[in-house]
Amino acid sequence: MDTILVVNAGSSSVKFQVFAVEGDGGLRRQIKGQMEGIGSRPRLRASGPSGDPLVDRAYPIEAVADVPVAMTVAGAWLREELSINPIAVGHRVVHGGPDHARPVLIDHAMVTRLERYVSLAPLHQPHNLAPIRTLLNNFPELPQVACFDTAFHRDHDALADHYAIPHQLHTEGIRRYGFHGLSYEYFAKRLPQVAPEIAGGRVIVAHLGSGTSMCAMKGGKSVESTTGFTALDGLAMGTRPGQLDPGVVLYLVAEKGMSATKVQDFLYRDCGLKGLSGVSNDMRELENSSDPRAAFAIDYFAYRVGLNAGMLAAALQGLDAFVFTAGIGENSDTIRARIAERLAWLGVALDQTENAKNAAKITRADNRIPVYVVPTDEELMIAQHTLTLLLNRQSPTPKRERM
């Protein structure tokens, strides 16, 4: 059976999924797993298509010290214990820069080009590229595909794409990119099945998780995004501040004596919900906390989502639907309710019973602006892109290299 391996690598974990390629070209999820606690408490966990556990195995810290080793260990488990040898591997790569509006096959030269964007996504890009290098070195004939979180937004109008800076800087790549594109692309393809009546309309999608953004979509295309040049912009996130006056950065450098490296680390790791609350970057912990600062962080989060919804509605010149997705958006009925209160001026009124059930549609039947909860599936999107690129590149039965 032909399979596609999907890899989403972070700083302390490597998430992976395996999809079987069906005879009609469809994809069926077989395995979902991750190597977590890399460099601290390494643990390999994976489950089958019905959620049945396949492995739960701890390792000594020295046995899985970094992402490349984690990839090697997980790959060995797939190959040796489950006899899985994928025909291709698809990777989530956060930043594709100005040149990549669609997935690409990867070689060493491509990795070198993508390294230019490490400073634009320091929490993600280096770790996204690490397993790619490992597979290129160990299995050079195995096709690998990079799928970019910025690609879905690359068709933005020039007005949405530019900053008010000299044109030469825009030419060099300083522009508004937008992120979470794989999630939004999945939603754009899913909406005709979930809600065909608004699929071609004006929709705001709120991807609310540890990383957070919102996207204005019209006819399934991205029109505007809350994120820009880097994933620091827009909404407050788990550890990132969201929209910030550039003067704050200048102040940190001039008055606090912080170096560029320290400022970067501060903005990516110590701000957002974590900085506001002083409690946690995890919304679940904030919701269960009695600390007033945790309550303030939640209020701030909902307030900023409401503000940005107004901006995106203006970009769309109206609104036909609002959608929640990702970890917080899919699972927290209380956060959805708080945000909905901020959207009442748009005509949003939740059905509290449906909201509590995490139903697909959580507004009353007579509501002017319907609100939906649509689970995202970035991994399936990556697998589909990988298979499509592979089949366009060669015959339907590609040469298989054992991984």
Side-chain angles (χ1 to χ4, degrees):
M1 180 193 314
D2 287 342
T3 56
I4 300 288
L5 173 64
V6 172
V7 176
N8 183 355
S11 60
S12 61
S13 69
V14 175
K15 298 178 183 178
F16 61 89
Q17 295 193 24
V18 176
F19 292 84
V21 181
E22 308 275 47
D24 60 358
L27 292 162
R28 176 170 46 85
R29 199 181 329 262
Q30 280 191 308
I31 298 170
K32 181 177 182 179
Q34 67 176 334
M35 175 67 81
E36 59 191 17
I38 298 170
S40 58
R41 297 179 178 177
R43 195 173 199 94
L44 175 64
R45 302 176 191 265
S47 58
S50 301
D52 47 310
L54 297 176
V55 66
D56 186 349
R57 189 175 299 165
Y59 295 83
I61 184 172
E62 64 275 7
V64 189
D66 54 29
V67 169
V69 174
M71 188 68 193
T72 300
V73 172
W77 173 73
L78 289 170
R79 180 179 64 251
E80 296 169 8
E81 299 189 34
L82 299 184
S83 300
I84 289 177
N85 291 284
I87 58 174
V89 182
H91 299 265
R92 179 194 180 209
V93 177
V94 165
H95 216 300
D99 300 327
H100 299 296
R102 58 188 56 84
V104 296
L105 283 161
I106 305 171
D107 56 19
H108 286 285
M110 177 61 67
V111 171
T112 299
R113 288 195 290 274
L114 295 177
E115 285 174 339
R116 294 181 297 176
Y117 310 121
V118 165
S119 64
L120 306 188
L123 292 188
H124 302 91
Q125 197 85 348
H127 309 297
N128 297 159
L129 299 179
I132 294 174
R133 290 194 201 91
T134 298
L135 291 175
L136 279 173
N137 291 331
N138 295 336
F139 308 97
E141 297 302 317
L142 179 65
Q144 297 189 74
V145 174
C147 299
F148 303 105
D149 254 343
T150 51
F152 185 66
H153 306 291
R154 294 311 308 128
D155 291 331
H156 278 180
D157 182 84
L159 291 175
D161 195 45
H162 277 66
Y163 289 110
I165 57 176
H167 183 71
Q168 178 57 37
L169 292 173
H170 178 84
T171 302
E172 292 174 11
I174 302 179
R175 60 183 68 182
R176 300 187 69 250
Y177 290 102
F179 295 89
H180 297 126
L182 290 164
S183 177
Y184 295 128
E185 184 181 9
Y186 172 79
F187 168 78
K189 293 181 181 298
R190 182 83 177 110
L191 192 57
Q193 287 79 48
V194 175
E197 65 277 10
I198 54 96
R202 300 162 298 180
V203 182
I204 294 175
V205 186
H207 178 107
L208 308 181
S210 179
T212 297
S213 71
M214 295 165 69
C215 178
M217 296 173 56
K218 186 175 183 179
K221 302 290 185 181
S222 176
V223 171
E224 182 60 272
S225 172
T226 56
T227 47
F229 182 55
T230 71
L232 288 171
D233 200 6
L235 303 170
M237 309 181 203
T239 61
R240 287 168 272 173
Q243 183 182 12
L244 191 71
D245 184 334
V248 175
V249 176
L250 298 177
Y251 179 86
L252 294 176
V253 173
E255 301 297 327
K256 293 294 186 180
M258 295 174 68
S259 67
T261 299
K262 286 187 176 180
V263 170
Q264 176 176 279
D265 193 59
F266 171 72
L267 294 177
Y268 275 99
R269 300 181 186 278
D270 295 326
C271 295
L273 298 178
K274 176 184 177 182
L276 278 174
S277 69
V279 174
S280 174
N281 65 316
D282 190 318
M283 184 62 81
R284 293 166 296 188
E285 293 184 24
L286 297 181
E287 289 187 274
N288 291 325
S289 174
S290 59
D291 192 311
R293 294 178 302 169
F296 179 79
I298 294 173
D299 288 342
Y300 182 93
F301 183 83
Y303 172 66
R304 289 288 164 177
V305 171
L307 281 182
N308 281 268
M311 177 191 74
L312 297 178
L316 290 168
Q317 292 292 284
L319 188 63
D320 298 312
F322 190 96
V323 178
F324 289 101
T325 193
I328 298 171
E330 294 171 23
N331 298 299
S332 178
D333 61 311
T334 57
I335 297 299
R336 291 196 300 264
R338 288 191 180 218
I339 292 171
E341 290 176 3
R342 297 281 179 182
L343 304 179
W345 67 276
L346 285 169
V348 169
L350 294 191
D351 180 319
Q352 299 301 334
T353 301
E354 294 302 293
N355 184 43
K357 294 191 298 186
N358 295 331
K361 186 176 180 180
I362 57 174
T363 42
R364 298 193 297 262
D366 61 349
N367 202 69
R368 185 166 66 85
I369 302 295
V371 177
Y372 297 86
V373 179
V374 180
T376 190
D377 198 337
E378 295 159 298
E379 289 79 12
L380 177 59
M381 200 73 252
I382 294 170
Q384 289 175 343
H385 280 310
T386 301
L387 182 60
T388 297
L389 205 60
L390 193 66
L391 295 181
N392 288 342
R393 171 179 180 256
Q394 53 193 30
S395 65
T397 309
K399 176 183 177 182
R400 182 196 305 269
E401 181 180 12
R402 293 184 62 83
M403 187 182 75

